[in-house]
């Protein structure tokens, strides 16, 4: 465990006591507190107003039962959560995750990260997150619809364009958002486009939202590489995962002249030395909801599937974890360093364990933390909210340029704040300190609420 500032240590101990058995939440809090020593020494007013204790305690936590009928007529019961963490900068904003591993602590870690990520975008959005232990894998469209309708039958009371605006995350894409939006509209009798983001293009969605997280992560890593006079052109890249974030990260790497030689899912790793074929990947994953083994078959002998290796063992110049939390451990990071990796940017939320981050940064690998590197998704969600509020829709080109500007801005802001605190090139310190100060100043201005 890192040595925390004496002012921060009791705060962390209180988080441990109050939130037992929520290891992911503890990990996310510790990573932020570890960056805040110099900030609290410079700003005793944050300590006096107990800003950090307040940030670590969600404003509201909602837990509810979601009963639904499967296709055989059997009753199924899931649990759903919405953790409304901080509304100091805007309505709570953050995705919904459907995955059997989802527990309250998972949603809390994601919601906590989201406060700072959303601040970094510079757009007026607070932090929240939700989800359920429902597993959409292998479920029919009708089952997913009934589940989403049942979930929204409770969730509708807590969300709204000025209150809390969910979007997608693992297991939640346009199909699920469509069913959720339809039920919200039916219950409330309001066409309130701004209540959800990630909607379809024909019914209030924004251009580039689908691509935004992956594209944004790649723009961020390109900015990091630029500080060392390098770029993605000609680079060999590995991208873990093969879902929404991974697919569009791969697409953008290829647009910038790099080659993605490996991707993965929970069943294994695909190595495709000629470069992953994104069109086939989209067809397999987005249209047919298939597996990477299907991708390998479609590639006709060019790609290989491995169920016994870690993706981080594939030598590369750049690695983009885009699957899930703690997917890269110390060993994974060591393998990357051995393979010559120069930069890692987190497309997923908290994919690198603290030990992995230490290995990477210790070896001089550029490291972009998720709350900065994957902020393009939520930033474009905020652009979708802007378009909904003004009943407008922007072109792909315009929206993509806004996204790129935002990502370059986040990079600059993190780099400048890291310098300010005597840690040049440390994007973890830069992201945490900069985002925290913005949130803390707004909390001071708004009183003890
Ligand atoms: P998807 O559901 O589209 O894809 C998730 C991918 O990660 C799949 O390839 C999945 O494999 C793999 N995966 C998920 N859970 C696990 C697990 N426990 N072990 C191994 N592999 C796993 O989700 P997204 O692409 O939307 O999200 C990926 C990450 O990016 C998440 O951390 C999410 O929080 C983060 N993120 C997403 C944003 C968005 O806009 N969607 C924005 C910012 C961050 P399999 O199919 O085998 O389960
Ligand atoms: O982790 C994330 O930032 C997301 N899943 C996207 C959240 C959003 O509201 O677009």
């Amino acid at each position: 465990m890192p040595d925390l500032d004496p002012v921060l240590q009791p705060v962390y101990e209180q988080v441990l006591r109050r939130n037992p058995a929520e290891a992911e939440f503890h990990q996310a809090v510790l990573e932020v507190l570890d960056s805040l020593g110099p900030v609290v020494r410079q700003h005793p007013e944050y300590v006096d107003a107990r800003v950090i204790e307040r940030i670590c305690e969600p404003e509201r936590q909602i837990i509810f039962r979601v009963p639904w009928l499967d296709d055989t007529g059997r009753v199924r019961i899931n649990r759903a959560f919405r953790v409304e963490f901080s509304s100091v900068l805007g309505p709570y904003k953050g995705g919904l995750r459907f995955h059997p591993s989802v527990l309250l602590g998972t949603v809390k870690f994601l919601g906590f990260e989201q406060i700072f990520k959303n601040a970094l975008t510079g757009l007026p959005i607070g932090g929240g997150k939700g989800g359920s232990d429902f597993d959409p894998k292998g479920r029919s469209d009708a089952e997913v619809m009934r589940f989403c309708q049942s979930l929204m039958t409770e969730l509708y009371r807590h969300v709204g364009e000025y209150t809390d605006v969910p979007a997608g995350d693992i297991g939640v894409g346009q199909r699920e958002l469509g069913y959720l939006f339809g039920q919200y509209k039916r219950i409330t009798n309001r066409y309130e486009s701004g209540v959800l983001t990630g909607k379809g293009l024909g019914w209030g969605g924004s251009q580039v939202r689908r691509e935004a997280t992956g594209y944004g992560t790649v723009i961020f890593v390109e900015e990091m590489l630029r500080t060392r006079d390098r770029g993605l052109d000609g680079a060999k890249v590995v991208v873990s995962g093969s879902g929404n974030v991974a697919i569009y990260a791969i697409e953008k790497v290829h647009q910038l002249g790099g080659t993605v030689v490996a991707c993965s899912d929970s069943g294994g790793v695909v190595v495709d030395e000629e470069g992953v074929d994104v069109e086939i990947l989209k067809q397999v994953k987005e249209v047919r909801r298939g597996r990477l083994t299907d991708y390998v078959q479609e590639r006709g002998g060019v790609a290989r599937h491995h169920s016994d290796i870690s993706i981080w063992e594939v030598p590369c110049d750049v690695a983009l974890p885009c699957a899930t939390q703690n997917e890269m451990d110390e060993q994974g990071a060591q393998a990357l360093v051995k393979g010559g990796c120069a930069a890692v940017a987190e497309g997923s939320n908290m994919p690198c364990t603290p030990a992995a981050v230490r290995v990477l940064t210790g070896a001089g690998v550029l490291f972009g933390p998720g709350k900065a590197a994957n902020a393009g998704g939520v930033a474009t969600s905020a652009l979708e909210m802007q378009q909904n509020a003004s009943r407008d829709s922007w072109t792909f080109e315009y929206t993509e340029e806004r996204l790129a500007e935002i990502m370059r801005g986040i990079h600059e802001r993190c780099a400048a704040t890291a310098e300010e605190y005597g840690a040049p090139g440390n994007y973890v310190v830069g992201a945490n300190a900069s985002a925290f100060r913005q949130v803390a100043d707004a909390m001071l201005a708004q009183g003890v609420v």
Side-chain angles (χ1 to χ4, degrees):
M1 201 180 111
D3 274 337
L4 288 178
D5 183 279
V7 166
L8 298 167
Q9 184 65 34
V11 177
Y12 183 58
E13 282 164 13
Q14 175 172 280
V15 167
L16 294 179
R17 265 197 313 276
R18 279 190 141 167
N19 306 277
E22 294 180 351
E24 292 163 337
F25 180 49
H26 303 162
Q27 184 183 335
V29 170
L30 184 58
E31 189 239 339
V32 171
L33 296 190
D34 189 35
S35 298
L36 296 186
V39 181
V40 293
R41 287 196 287 279
Q42 195 181 54
H43 294 278
E45 67 275 20
Y46 296 154
V47 180
D48 295 342
R50 304 191 66 184
V51 161
I52 306 162
E53 287 100 313
R54 281 193 273 154
I55 289 183
C56 291
E57 186 64 24
E59 289 177 14
R60 190 177 296 108
Q61 305 182 56
I62 301 146
I63 307 180
F64 54 100
R65 178 173 72 195
V66 185
W68 55 282
L69 286 175
D70 71 16
D71 285 345
T72 69
R74 186 165 170 229
V75 177
R76 302 272 178 169
I77 297 129
N78 285 97
R79 182 181 290 174
F81 310 89
R82 186 75 187 165
V83 175
E84 298 179 335
F85 236 109
S86 169
S87 61
V88 77
L89 300 183
Y92 309 107
K93 182 84 195 84
L96 293 171
R97 174 177 294 190
F98 293 171
H99 193 274
S101 64
V102 168
L103 295 167
L104 178 60
T106 320
V107 180
K108 274 161 76 176
F109 113 66
L110 290 161
F112 184 76
E113 288 282 292
Q114 202 82 44
I115 306 172
F116 304 102
K117 183 194 305 191
N118 294 5
L120 287 174
T121 67
L123 298 164
I125 39 179
K129 198 84 185 191
S132 171
D133 57 4
F134 174 71
D135 187 358
K137 277 204 194 88
R139 292 282 162 211
S140 68
D141 286 353
E143 289 179 319
V144 171
M145 181 180 75
R146 287 195 292 275
F147 173 78
C148 288
Q149 289 177 338
S150 180
L151 185 140
M152 186 51 89
T153 302
E154 172 60 34
L155 189 66
Y156 89 95
R157 313 165 206 285
H158 309 288
V159 297
E161 70 171 309
Y162 296 109
T163 312
D164 184 354
V165 182
D169 194 81
I170 290 175
V172 178
Q174 219 172 85
R175 172 181 63 171
E176 291 72 20
L177 288 164
Y179 297 146
L180 291 165
F181 184 70
Q183 184 74 350
Y184 182 82
K185 186 167 64 61
R186 190 166 187 210
I187 296 173
T188 60
N189 192 30
R190 285 160 62 85
Y191 203 105
E192 188 186 329
S193 301
V195 68
L196 294 174
T197 60
K199 300 181 294 292
L201 290 179
W203 43 280
S206 173
Q207 295 284 356
V208 195
R209 176 62 191 87
R210 181 197 293 268
E211 295 83 358
T213 311
Y215 277 22
T217 301
V218 175
I219 297 167
F220 193 89
V221 87
E222 176 89 343
E223 288 296 301
M224 292 203 302
L225 288 166
R226 226 193 272 274
T227 64
R228 296 198 179 160
D229 297 320
R230 297 178 64 154
L232 283 162
D233 194 18
K236 220 175 178 184
V237 181
V238 303
V239 175
S240 68
S242 48
N244 172 264
V245 179
I247 289 172
Y248 293 94
I250 297 170
E251 184 166 279
K252 184 51 89 183
V253 167
H254 288 170
Q255 286 173 11
L256 295 179
T259 305
V260 176
V261 295
C263 63
S264 62
D265 62 16
S266 55
V269 177
V270 163
V271 178
D272 192 335
E273 290 290 348
E274 288 180 15
V276 171
D277 186 318
V278 186
E279 291 317 311
I280 297 180
L281 191 61
K282 283 183 192 172
Q283 191 63 28
V284 167
K285 285 283 172 176
E286 294 184 337
V287 181
R288 305 211 308 259
R289 297 182 186 278
R291 310 292 305 158
L292 279 179
T293 40
D294 305 321
Y295 169 87
V296 170
Q297 236 169 19
E298 302 261 321
R299 275 292 264 165
V302 181
R304 292 266 173 278
H305 188 267
H306 305 266
S307 40
D308 53 352
I309 65 163
S310 150
I311 189 164
W312 315 122
E313 292 166 25
V314 179
C316 64
D317 303 305
V318 172
L320 305 174
C322 294
T324 193
Q325 64 270 19
N326 292 327
E327 55 173 311
M328 189 197 298
D329 61 9
E330 188 172 11
Q331 251 185 332
Q334 283 162 345
L336 277 179
V337 170
K338 199 168 146 209
C341 180
V344 172
E346 296 184 323
S348 40
N349 285 306
M350 209 169 72
C352 300
T353 65
V357 178
R358 277 194 295 276
V359 169
L360 296 173
T361 50
V365 175
L366 289 161
F367 177 71
K371 56 174 81 67
N374 73 40
V378 76
T380 308
S381 279
L383 301 181
E384 182 171 330
M385 291 164 73
Q386 281 184 31
Q387 292 167 77
N388 293 153
S390 57
R391 300 186 187 280
D392 197 0
S393 64
W394 308 340
T395 63
F396 191 95
E397 292 68 27
Y398 176 74
T399 317
E400 190 181 10
E401 189 40 44
R402 292 282 312 263
L403 166 65
E405 235 172 71
I406 291 166
M407 294 314 298
R408 291 192 292 261
I410 295 173
H411 177 270
E412 211 175 291
R413 180 174 166 176
C414 295
T417 308
E419 290 258 352
E420 188 186 332
Y421 286 104
N426 187 331
Y427 294 93
V428 175
V429 167
N432 288 334
S434 162
F436 171 78
R437 276 196 330 209
Q438 186 184 344
V439 174
D441 287 341
M443 287 176 73
L444 289 182
Q446 293 177 23
V448 180
V449 289

